[in-house]
Amino acid sequence: MSERDDGGPAFPIPADEPGNTYTGMSLRDYFAGQALAGICANPDISKWCADNEMKTQFVRADYVMSAYEIADMVLAERAK
């Protein structure tokens, strides 16, 4: 199984330990965070969550999975 492309570091800074090139979050995590912010900012989603408190935990997991799917699509397009 091949490793998932994380796009490399999002905001690379030199590492303070020998052998490490960069530290910080991956570009995939950054893209997913940006997608998740957009998903959660949708007023229809916010209203649905308020109306369905018991289901919110499961819905949020779907949001996160969707955000990472979007991030993977961005990275794939970026690699073309």
Side-chain angles (χ1 to χ4, degrees):
M1 184 173 138
S2 64
E3 287 188 31
R4 182 178 308 232
D5 176 18
D6 70 0
F11 305 102
I13 57 171
D16 54 359
E17 295 182 23
N20 293 336
T21 309
Y22 297 105
T23 60
M25 79 170 113
S26 71
L27 193 54
R28 181 176 185 253
D29 288 334
Y30 177 73
F31 287 156
Q34 296 297 305
L36 186 59
I39 291 168
C40 290
N42 181 334
D44 292 334
I45 290 172
S46 297
K47 182 184 180 321
W48 190 92
C49 287
D51 293 343
N52 298 282
E53 283 187 42
M54 296 298 287
K55 297 179 183 177
T56 303
Q57 178 180 354
F58 300 108
V59 172
R60 287 181 183 156
D62 287 341
Y63 295 167
V64 173
M65 289 187 310
S66 295
Y68 273 100
E69 288 173 5
I70 292 168
D72 290 339
M73 287 188 281
V74 172
L75 288 171
E77 189 64 30
R78 185 175 180 261
K80 289 182 181 180

